[in-house]
Each structure stands twice: as C-alpha cells, then as structure tokens.
Amino acid sequence: MIPSAILLLFVFDGPIVSRYILICHSFLQSFMEWRGNKKSKEAIIYLANGLILFIMTNIGILLGYSHYQ
C-alpha cells in the first residue's frame, strides 16, 4: 500500500491522489478479506466500493469537473 501511495503522489497532483489511495486501499482490503476467508461476502462489498470510487473519479477527470479548480 505504501509504495503505491508514493507512486501516486509523483504521478498525480492534488486531491486526485487521495481518491486513488482510497481506491487502492479498497482493492487491497477486498483482496485481504478474500484471502483470509474465501466464503466472506465482505470482500465483494470492498471490491464494489473500490470500483465505484474508480469509476466516479475517472468520470470526473474525463469531464473536467474539479471542486478544487
């Protein structure tokens, strides 16, 4: 998680970094839940959360909307 956060700090600038770090955290949490308990349904929730954040962030970037401009 830390190396991906550091990489994202150099690639992106501003509030987008925090969103991508949250997305990476959601995917990592989903993977850990799935590896820990294969029957756990919480992994699906974390994965869906990460996918929704990823889609919404990229739509915002593509449309050019930014709260911080």
Side-chain angles (χ1 to χ4, degrees):
M1 182 69 187
I2 292 173
S4 64
I6 291 171
L7 179 68
L8 288 172
L9 285 173
F10 288 112
V11 174
F12 297 105
D13 186 31
I16 301 298
V17 174
S18 62
R19 289 186 184 169
Y20 277 112
I21 290 173
L22 284 173
I23 292 167
C24 289
H25 180 264
S26 295
F27 288 139
L28 180 68
Q29 185 71 26
S30 174
F31 178 73
M32 293 303 215
E33 286 286 334
W34 176 75
R35 290 286 288 177
N37 186 3
K38 302 267 186 188
K39 295 180 182 179
S40 175
K41 301 299 181 194
E42 289 182 30
I44 297 171
I45 294 171
Y46 289 120
L47 184 63
N49 186 23
L51 288 174
I52 290 170
L53 281 171
F54 181 74
I55 291 168
M56 296 301 285
T57 301
N58 286 331
I59 287 173
I61 290 170
L62 290 174
L63 293 177
Y65 295 118
S66 178
H67 184 311
Y68 298 98
Q69 286 182 341

